Amino acid sequence: MIDVKYTRIVFSFFMALLMSGIMSLVITVFNIGWVDNIVSIWLQAWLFAFSVALPTILIISPLVHRLVAIVVKPTP
């Protein structure tokens, strides 16, 4: 198992993996439809999307955590 100190990185990895996969599939199908080679086109798009998503999540997640802390009311 992975040590708990790497939680942020592991979370970011899985979030980037799943979100980039879902979004690249939706956008690919929206743009070109269900063509014969949709899987290979989608996987190529997913690889590119993931390579952008992971560093983006790692960079912006501290900002997002601060924004959430601002807009969420703490429990009494």
Side-chain angles (χ1 to χ4, degrees), residues 57-70:
I57 290 173
L58 289 171
I59 291 168
I60 68 165
S61 62
L63 171 65
V64 173
H65 283 289
R66 285 192 294 267
L67 290 172
V68 169
I70 292 169

Side-chain angles (χ1 to χ4, degrees):
M1 296 304 286
I2 298 172
D3 193 281
V4 70
K5 67 182 176 181
Y6 299 111
T7 298
R8 181 176 160 262
I9 295 170
V10 173
F11 176 87
S12 297
F13 173 83
F14 284 115
M15 180 63 76
L17 186 71
L18 295 172
M19 286 301 297
S20 64
I22 293 166
M23 293 304 299
S24 62
L25 176 62
V26 169
I27 292 167
T28 301
V29 171
F30 178 80
N31 283 325
I32 63 171
W34 287 105
V35 295
D36 288 337
N37 58 343
I38 188 69
V39 173
S40 64
I41 295 169
W42 167 56
L43 289 175
Q44 186 176 8
W46 188 1
L47 179 62
F48 179 74
F50 179 74
S51 69
V52 173
L54 182 58
T56 302
I57 290 173
L58 289 171
I59 291 168
I60 68 165
S61 62
L63 171 65
V64 173
H65 283 289
R66 285 192 294 267
L67 290 172
V68 169
I70 292 169
V71 300
V72 173
K73 183 165 79 170
T75 58

